[in-house]
Amino acid sequence: MKEENNGASKNKWSRIFRKKWFFPAMYLTIAAVLLTVVVWYQNLDNQIPEVEDDQEVTEDYTPNPYDEDAESVVGQQEIIRMPVEDQDQAEIVTKFFDYNADQEDQENALILYNNRYYQSTGIDIAAANGEAFSVTASLSGTVTEVKEDPLLGNVVTLSHDNDVVTYYASLGEISVKAGDDVEQGDSIGTAGKNLFGQDNGTHVHFEIRKDGKEFNPEEFFNKSVSELDSANQDANDESEAPDEGETEDPNGETEDPDQDEDQEPEADDENPADETSDSSASTSNA
């Protein structure tokens, strides 16, 4: 009886072995088991280094000082703002005189005083309703000068990092004094009137200077202070390059062949800046 059962079992297994799917199924099963073991082993092996990496970050990590410097420099770069509290109610009534501007903008950058036109070295800002308004610091800085000029009105000068200076003239009331440190947006006074820009009524005259050169404030509003560095470098490069049409004589002086020898120099009398007591007023047009 036992022999019959053993023979039946052997026949059963032999029939299974003869099936076409038996060996492929067995191979797939073995491969799946091996793959499972390999994946489990790899995950187990990677857990220890991850814990060590975390310990190194928390215990031995030291911040990179160069990264901190980079963040601090970016944080110090202020955006140049129009020196008014409400920009929507402000309008520019006199533009900065630019030789490369179109004729209309150049005409809007001329100031008539004492029957003579002067080129504006800044911009004049007035309120849409013509009323007085609060004048704010365009950049954070230090008040270096507060004075009353007979032609330009009350004047406040602020110095900033990187040899940048902002200049505010035609002020009415003044709320700062020399030596004060002001933050961007702080009030430095109110718009007023002056003789030199009397046609503009109540306004503030605003200038931006870099290394003693005046730049068009409109071109730098809502831009970082670093933009002034690039503009100043470009201006220096242009000033160093010789003009086409100019020739240099043996003595090192430049001569323009198109210049008329009989041309008379422009009259320099009746210059309102000469009537002021401060030399800086001679280069500023309110």
Side-chain angles (χ1 to χ4, degrees):
M1 195 70 179
K2 293 182 179 179
E3 293 179 355
E4 292 179 357
N5 292 335
N6 291 335
S9 299
K10 291 180 180 180
N11 291 334
K12 183 179 178 180
W13 282 105
S14 66
R15 286 196 300 268
I16 292 175
F17 290 155
R18 292 192 186 98
K19 297 293 185 181
K20 295 181 179 180
W21 51 264
F22 176 77
F23 288 103
M26 183 179 64
Y27 294 149
L28 290 175
T29 302
I30 294 173
V33 172
L34 292 176
L35 181 61
T36 302
V37 173
V38 170
V39 172
W40 174 82
Y41 179 78
Q42 288 180 345
N43 291 336
L44 181 64
D45 187 56
N46 291 335
Q47 289 177 357
I48 296 177
E50 289 179 358
V51 174
E52 292 178 353
D53 291 342
D54 293 339
Q55 292 177 350
E56 290 178 0
V57 171
T58 57
E59 296 178 1
D60 300 332
Y61 173 75
T62 56
N64 188 341
Y66 297 101
D67 294 340
E68 291 185 354
D69 291 342
E71 292 178 358
S72 62
V73 169
V74 173
Q76 292 176 359
Q77 289 295 332
E78 285 187 330
I79 303 300
I80 302 174
R81 303 297 185 187
M82 184 180 288
V84 296
E85 284 185 341
D86 189 357
Q87 297 186 17
D88 295 334
Q89 297 298 321
E91 58 181 352
I92 298 175
V93 294
T94 301
K95 291 183 172 293
F96 176 88
F97 189 89
D98 187 351
Y99 287 97
N100 297 322
D102 56 34
Q103 183 176 357
E104 182 179 358
D105 287 343
Q106 287 185 352
E107 291 176 355
N108 291 333
L110 296 176
I111 299 174
L112 178 62
Y113 174 76
N114 200 14
N115 296 324
R116 185 175 178 181
Y117 286 99
Y118 296 87
Q119 299 172 355
S120 175
T121 55
I123 60 174
D124 291 348
I125 305 172
N129 56 11
E131 300 295 330
F133 55 90
S134 178
V135 178
T136 58
S138 178
L139 292 167
S140 301
T142 302
V143 180
T144 55
E145 186 179 37
V146 176
K147 68 178 182 179
E148 181 179 357
D149 189 277
L151 291 180
L152 306 177
N154 291 326
V155 177
V156 173
T157 304
L158 270 63
S159 63
H160 313 277
D161 294 337
N162 214 17
D163 295 326
V164 175
V165 172
T166 54
Y167 178 89
Y168 311 78
S170 187
L171 295 173
E173 297 180 358
I174 296 178
S175 54
V176 295
K177 63 182 183 299
D180 287 349
D181 292 329
V182 297
E183 297 294 329
Q184 185 180 54
D186 288 350
S187 176
I188 61 174
T190 60
K193 298 180 179 180
N194 62 6
L195 293 177
F196 193 59
Q198 58 185 346
D199 292 341
N200 290 329
T202 302
H203 70 284
V204 60
H205 177 77
F206 177 68
E207 295 183 9
I208 294 180
R209 303 169 182 171
K210 165 67 176 174
D211 294 336
K213 300 184 182 69
E214 296 90 359
F215 291 89
N216 186 356
E218 283 190 85
E219 294 182 355
F220 297 96
F221 285 149
N222 300 321
K223 294 184 179 180
S224 64
V225 179
S226 59
E227 297 286 342
L228 283 171
D229 294 332
S230 300
N232 186 53
Q233 183 61 43
D234 293 341
N236 291 335
D237 293 342
E238 291 179 0
S239 62
E240 293 175 359
D243 294 335
E244 297 181 0
E246 287 189 353
T247 59
E248 185 173 347
D249 64 9
N251 295 326
E253 299 179 355
T254 58
E255 296 180 354
D256 190 342
D258 297 331
Q259 184 177 2
D260 188 357
E261 296 180 356
D262 297 332
Q263 182 179 0
E264 296 181 358
E266 184 179 353
D268 57 357
D269 55 345
E270 298 181 355
N271 189 343
D274 293 339
E275 301 178 15
T276 63
S277 59
D278 191 272
S279 59
S280 63
S282 64
T283 59
S284 304
N285 298 327

